[in-house]
Amino acid sequence: MESFALKRIAAVASHLTPTAPPRQQQQALSMEATSAAAASVFDHLEQAPEDPILGITVAYNKDPHPGKVNLGVGAYRTEEGKPLILNVVRRAEERLLADRSKNKEYLPITGLADFNKRSAMLILGSDSPAIVEKRLVTAQCLSGTGSLRVGAEFLARHYGVKLVFLPTPTWGNHFKVFMNAGLAVKTYRYYDNKTRGLDYEGMLEDIGAAPSGSVILLHACAHNPTGVDPTPQQWEGIRQAIRNRGHLPFFDSAYQGFASGSLDKDAHAVRTFVADGGECFIAQSFAKNLGLYGERVGALSIVTKSSGVATRVESQLKLVIRPMYSNPPIHGASIVALVLGDGDLFSEWTVELKGMADRIISMRHKLYDALRARGTPGDWTHILKQIGMFSFTGLNKEQVQFMTREYRIYMTLDGRISMAGLSLKTVPLLADAIHAAVTGAKA
């Protein structure tokens, strides 16, 4: 009996003890493991190039030179070259953190209602007929880029003409945003290289020749990358040309208040179009004017013909957003809503905003004066005439590469510089670099 029990135990133990696989099986498993380690389903991928704008910062960060200057990325810097957090933003955050009634629950698909309401009032004016007549739909989106992307996706699904016209030149990401939504992209004339100003007649001619109902992308103010804006009279001519052809204007408003220092002045173009009762799209960003770059706070507003249409547009807009990112983040939008909704904070913001705009304008004058003092060949008055964060210098690719190589000045190859990245300390260096690049002198 005892012997039988021992045999049973031994039999069970043999089943529980792992046995070494046959040698052929071991070799097969080893080969499979080696193959899995050596190959990837993504081996066919090529190394993608760096983003032409953000890649500048990558190159800048890799450069160990102590005197390097980054004038590529559009972000405001202090006189000391440091990122700026506005005092009004700090105050708003302190109040939000002190409010124990606040939570981190999901927002609705279209975002924070108070943010949407106040964003629309900021760009259109509180007495805008579109707001009063409830012909407006506003959705909180992921800064300006996200607002453009949601708008592009909506147009691809629901607008009859799948064609967007962009100015030449324009922000490089515009092409990808609209093309990736499935829309065809063409261009219209905007910048005149000879005058370094607006090609107004060419712009009107191209708008007039575009197929009826085309989407026309417009920079609301502080055109990126040229810094060249139409005059109020020219905006009226542009409005008439667009409405006469039944086109749909799509405004990209990334710099309201940051260009001239006046929120109302920088909203003039948008308000001109809305006042005529026609429809339009507006993408807003609070990255620059409130310094909320990393919070990704923006809004897409769609002005329609009636409140009934607006209701249906909003219902379809939710179907675009829901599978894309479900709903937007709460913190940055809460900051903006508080600043826009509190009289004291709003007043402080306008003062800080004008301070940033004025410093950029002063950098334009300093650079112009420095180039004149050096006798740099050419007419540089366009630096003073242009507006906003950027200046289109007129420098070519070879000159830019020379300045980066010899002076460690990083900027886009089309000659665009961020005036917001300049300081009293770096203006002389930039002027020396431009002078050397234009005259062909060596550093």
Side-chain angles (χ1 to χ4, degrees), residues 107-120:
L107 287 176
I109 295 173
T110 54
L112 189 65
D114 194 38
F115 166 83
N116 291 339
K117 171 187 172 183
R118 298 188 184 284
S119 295

Side-chain angles (χ1 to χ4, degrees), residues 94 99 131 135 173 182 197 240 247 290 332 358 423-424 431:
E94 288 170 359
D99 187 349
I131 295 175
R135 296 187 286 109
N173 216 21
Q240 291 180 17
H247 297 323
L290 265 167
D358 286 349
S423 67
L424 292 175

Side-chain angles (χ1 to χ4, degrees), residues 371-394:
L371 291 172
R372 286 199 63 187
R374 286 160 177 74
T376 306
D379 179 6
W380 299 95
T381 55
H382 60 281
I383 293 176
L384 301 177
K385 295 175 183 177
Q386 293 166 359
I387 192 171
M389 179 173 281
F390 301 108
S391 179
F392 218 44
T393 61

Side-chain angles (χ1 to χ4, degrees), residues 359-360 363-364 367 383 388-391 417-422:
R359 198 186 84 79
I360 293 173
M363 288 300 104
R364 290 185 178 278
L367 178 59
I383 293 176
M389 179 173 281
F390 301 108
S391 179
I417 59 174
S418 173
M419 300 303 300
L422 277 177

